Amino acid sequence: MADTSFLDWPFLDDHHRTLARDLEAWCIAEQLADRHSDEDIDGQCRALVRLLGAGGWLRYCVPAPWGLLDTLDVRSLSLIRETLARHNGLADFVFAMQGLGSGTISLFGSASQRAAYLPGVADGSRIAAFALTELDSGSDVAAMTTSAKRSGNGWAIDGAKTYISNGGIADHYVLFARTGEAPGAKGISAFVVDAETPGLSIAERIQVTAPHPLATIQFDSMQLPTEALIGEVGRGFVQAMATLDVFRTTVGAAALGFARRALDEATMRAQGRMLFGSPLASNAVVESQLGEMALSIDAAALLIYRAGWTRDVLCRRPTREAAMAKLFATEAAQRVVDTAVQLHGGLGVVHGHIVESLYREVRALRIYEGASEVQRMVIARQHLASAA
């Protein structure tokens, strides 16, 4: 039922249109929408990674020769996240983390690092994670305290990361730690860490509103070889921001997928629910609500695919465009889903109903990969810089 007219927009190419239609058919054939459950989330994630790998969709998370494209294509990633989120929020999460958890390797890794990690990400045999956030340095990445100190022919890591998606089930982590070449952002480096490395432990599994594998990870004198360093020492902050610039737009796309599903459900509810002898859809207030939902969805889609086009076609770093897309789409999706819950009445808050699940799924998107408040700051600073 979801509107697909956006596929004809000039921001997208023919291969994007084919991708969207092929993935939609695959989701239906695999009955992805029927896989919603709060039981054994770890097991479900592992199964979904294998399923998406077997379907070939994870090959969009990495560049050729292991991926289908020469580079990470933001529009393809966004189309996949939007479609998966509309069918199954956990499938979207799994896909997103395969991309984010390997993105720094794809963009900055050595040939040997890419060869060692990206094939498994692409075929679903390896689960990836991105370890950036700390308890006291969420939005302020430069304030991180996890340290990496020279030790013999390698590095010794001490500290902790928290709210790490795929924490506890990942096969490797892209870890950011302070190497101290300079204060603040200029003294951070990136490393790739195998999950079984001695000194790495899962300190806590974190339960959240919409169940996902999430953990606090502890590092106690963890020894890494020299070749674990990704790219140049002291470039970790730049690498993290570049990775997030690719995937931040796709967070908006996931929100868009949730919003589209919410509008579909709300529309069916309004057409089928009778109120005082007439369909709910004939009520002027409900018509207005549906109109606002449809408007928000199209506006979000325009911002998302403009941001992708800016990076993919214009080859510009889309800091401003990605921030706008992420901010507007996630905030709009929250309103759309909330309206869908309201239109379902008591049914909308029954645990396990699709709109109740969407309500839990959509909330975190306004926080992770740059909270809404931070996105407003980014947009303002970009605006002021251009006006100077």
Side-chain angles (χ1 to χ4, degrees):
M1 184 178 176
D3 176 31
T4 59
S5 60
F6 74 99
L7 293 175
D8 294 325
W9 292 351
F11 292 126
L12 302 172
D13 299 328
D14 285 343
H15 72 88
H16 295 117
R17 296 182 245 282
T18 299
L19 164 62
R21 291 172 180 135
D22 287 350
L23 179 56
E24 177 69 15
W26 181 85
C27 289
I28 293 171
E30 293 291 342
Q31 299 179 314
L32 208 64
D34 297 328
R35 294 173 180 261
H36 289 277
S37 171
D38 290 346
E39 302 297 323
D40 186 20
I41 296 299
D42 289 0
Q44 287 188 69
C45 284
R46 292 187 179 100
L48 284 166
V49 169
R50 292 192 296 270
L51 184 69
L52 288 166
W57 308 113
L58 297 181
R59 294 185 66 192
Y60 287 94
C61 291
V62 302
W66 310 283
L68 292 173
L69 303 172
D70 290 337
T71 186
L72 296 175
D73 183 79
V74 177
R75 291 168 296 169
S76 296
L77 293 168
S78 296
L79 283 166
I80 293 172
R81 289 203 66 181
E82 177 186 338
T83 304
L84 291 176
R86 185 160 44 79
H87 285 272
N88 184 307
L90 199 59
D92 163 65
F93 166 84
V94 161
F95 176 84
M97 289 315 305
Q98 288 295 94
L100 184 63
S102 60
T104 308
I105 300 172
S106 294
L107 294 171
F108 302 103
S110 65
S112 60
Q113 287 170 338
R114 293 181 184 186
Y117 292 97
L118 298 187
V121 170
D123 66 20
S125 62
R126 174 175 286 276
I127 296 177
F130 186 77
L132 179 66
T133 300
E134 296 182 9
L135 190 60
D136 295 321
S137 65
S139 298
D140 185 7
V141 173
M144 72 171 60
T145 59
T146 295
S147 66
K149 297 180 180 179
R150 298 280 186 180
S151 176
N153 293 323
W155 301 88
I157 313 292
D158 287 281
K161 299 290 181 177
T162 195
Y163 302 120
I164 304 306
S165 294
N166 278 346
I169 68 168
D171 294 293
H172 76 259
Y173 299 87
V174 170
L175 170 67
F176 297 86
R178 181 164 299 287
T179 44
E181 292 72 30
K186 295 182 179 180
I188 295 170
S189 300
F191 302 86
V192 59
V193 183
D194 291 328
E196 66 273 14
T197 302
L200 183 158
S201 62
I202 304 301
E204 178 189 13
R205 294 298 298 271
I206 303 170
Q207 301 299 314
V208 289
T209 306
H212 298 107
L214 208 66
T216 296
I217 306 170
Q218 186 75 34
F219 308 100
D220 295 303
S221 299
M222 180 179 70
Q223 301 295 310
L224 293 179
T226 301
E227 56 268 25
L229 177 71
I230 300 175
E232 299 175 20
V233 69
R235 297 286 293 172
F237 181 85
V238 172
Q239 293 168 351
M241 294 305 104
T243 304
L244 290 172
D245 271 347
V246 172
F247 290 96
R248 184 169 287 128
T249 298
T250 77
V251 179
L256 178 60
F258 291 140
R260 287 197 194 278
R261 180 65 182 274
L263 178 57
D264 289 351
E265 297 294 330
T267 302
M268 289 188 289
R269 173 72 171 179
Q271 291 173 331
R273 174 70 168 175
M274 301 299 291
L275 182 68
F276 305 122
S278 299
L280 198 59
S282 66
N283 182 287
V285 173
V286 174
E287 287 182 335
S288 177
Q289 289 175 312
L290 293 172
E292 286 291 337
M293 295 165 81
L295 171 62
S296 294
I297 285 170
D298 264 24
L302 282 164
L303 286 169
I304 288 162
Y305 291 107
R306 180 191 71 160
W309 178 82
T310 297
R311 185 184 186 279
D312 298 339
V313 177
L314 298 185
C315 300
R316 291 205 320 245
R317 185 174 179 180
T319 302
R320 173 178 175 272
E321 292 83 359
M324 285 185 169
K326 201 264 186 186
L327 172 63
F328 186 88
T330 56
E331 294 285 337
Q334 183 78 62
R335 296 192 298 271
V336 168
V337 172
D338 186 73
T339 302
V341 170
Q342 194 72 14
L343 288 172
H344 279 77
L347 188 61
V349 292
V350 173
H351 185 75
H353 190 281
I354 181 59
V355 295
E356 184 270 343
S357 297
L358 289 170
Y359 191 84
R360 289 185 287 115
E361 288 278 5
V362 77
R363 184 60 184 86
L365 275 62
R366 293 165 57 202
I367 298 173
Y368 72 71
E369 292 190 41
S372 292
E373 293 76 11
V374 174
Q375 301 312 313
R376 291 185 178 94
M377 291 170 57
V378 170
I379 294 165
R381 289 172 182 174
Q382 292 282 311
H383 168 70
L384 290 170
S386 68

